[in-house]
Amino acid sequence: MLSKNTAFFASFAAAGALLLSACGGGDDGSDAAKAPDAKSSNSAPAADGSMDLALKSGTAAQNDAPKKTGDWANPPGKPATKPVQRKWVQLSAAKAGALDPVVVNGSGFTLYRFDKDTASPSKSTCNGACATTWPPVLVDPGSKIFVDGVRPSDVGVVKRDDGTRQVTVGGWPVYRFSKDLKPGDTNGQGVGGTWFGVQPGGQKSGVPADAAPAETPDAAQAAPASSAILFDDANFSDNGPAQGVAGAGCQNVARPEVTSSISVSGSMKLWTGADCKGTSKVINGDVADLSSIGFDNKIRSVAFG
């Protein structure tokens, strides 16, 4: 294992990776273009192939996010009436009304998913007047997403028709509801039979599993992954470095033989040798401790697709 002082390397092999490119600010104009410094971060894949996001474990408060920025720029009692890009957002698993669990933002407002959107591939269909009633959760280029009870591998970003970037959970684009006026409100639940609070894995909150339509096979974790975050420490710890890897086919990792846990949505193959040679192991989804499958500090390359 390398020293915790080793610089975090986030080099991705995907050719033509698209960096997030948009501009925005808080409702009160307090969101600057530059995101706050982070103690440690990990890159998160976007649905359009870009990787310009930093995931941070814990809440915004625990990570000392500046006041009147990010999710805090829209205070309780002030309705969300327009899409606003933020330099950070928070995704927390919580209870709101009868919804348990459901994802809420940094100010405690319920986040929703829309049945007319798609999760695989991620696609938002709520535009125009719809996006005024249901403001999408948008992020600036280089933004931070604080994850609290939500798996990093379930978080991403999708490019909207207007070029902005919308946060996704389990592949589903997520939204606020303009008629939720205080933390814990769930006035958007069940509206039109198509809007529901979103669970930490992307499922509908408040809908019994036997009443919800089955997710499509493409949305299941059995689908091949195209990117992953490799942590030097077990349990996806932010205390040590991490590195990202993405692309089609075989990819050599930048720092071999240091990985102890992996966050990935889908299946991938691990290899003990460079160029996908040596001993291999197929995994399907996150692995919190690679020693449980005999691959701790052994990965030199991985294969996607």
Side-chain angles (χ1 to χ4, degrees), residues 174-219:
V174 294
Y175 306 80
R176 285 274 311 276
F177 183 44
S178 60
K179 295 183 180 180
D180 283 348
L181 301 182
K182 64 181 184 300
D185 279 353
T186 58
N187 298 315
Q189 178 69 4
V191 170
T194 56
W195 290 92
F196 299 90
V198 62
Q199 292 191 34
Q203 304 89 346
K204 297 177 187 179
S205 185
V207 178
D210 56 0
E215 301 289 349
T216 62
D218 287 343

Side-chain angles (χ1 to χ4, degrees), residues 264-285:
V264 61
S265 180
S267 62
M268 63 185 293
K269 183 176 284 189
L270 315 178
W271 291 88
T272 58
D275 302 318
C276 295
K277 297 178 180 179
T279 303
S280 65
K281 178 73 174 181
V282 175
I283 63 171
N284 184 20

Side-chain angles (χ1 to χ4, degrees), residues 228-232 241-245 253 259 261-263 268 299 302:
I229 302 173
L230 282 58
F231 296 80
D232 284 19
Q243 58 185 324
V245 61
V253 301
T259 302
S261 59
I262 296 178
S263 178
M268 63 185 293
I299 298 175
V302 301

Side-chain angles (χ1 to χ4, degrees), residues 124-244:
S124 171
T125 61
C126 179
N127 300 293
C130 175
T132 299
T133 303
W134 302 89
V137 178
L138 304 178
V139 288
D140 277 334
S143 296
K144 292 178 174 61
I145 299 181
F146 301 113
V147 289
D148 176 33
V150 180
R151 296 192 313 173
S153 60
D154 285 330
V155 178
V157 170
V158 64
K159 187 177 181 180
R160 291 175 54 80
D161 291 346
D162 62 3
T164 57
R165 288 344 194 236
Q166 183 173 1
V167 176
T168 63
V169 175
W172 290 96
V174 294
Y175 306 80
R176 285 274 311 276
F177 183 44
S178 60
K179 295 183 180 180
D180 283 348
L181 301 182
K182 64 181 184 300
D185 279 353
T186 58
N187 298 315
Q189 178 69 4
V191 170
T194 56
W195 290 92
F196 299 90
V198 62
Q199 292 191 34
Q203 304 89 346
K204 297 177 187 179
S205 185
V207 178
D210 56 0
E215 301 289 349
T216 62
D218 287 343
Q221 280 199 337
S226 59
S227 62
I229 302 173
L230 282 58
F231 296 80
D232 284 19
D233 294 339
N235 299 311
F236 322 114
S237 174
D238 277 339
N239 293 328
Q243 58 185 324

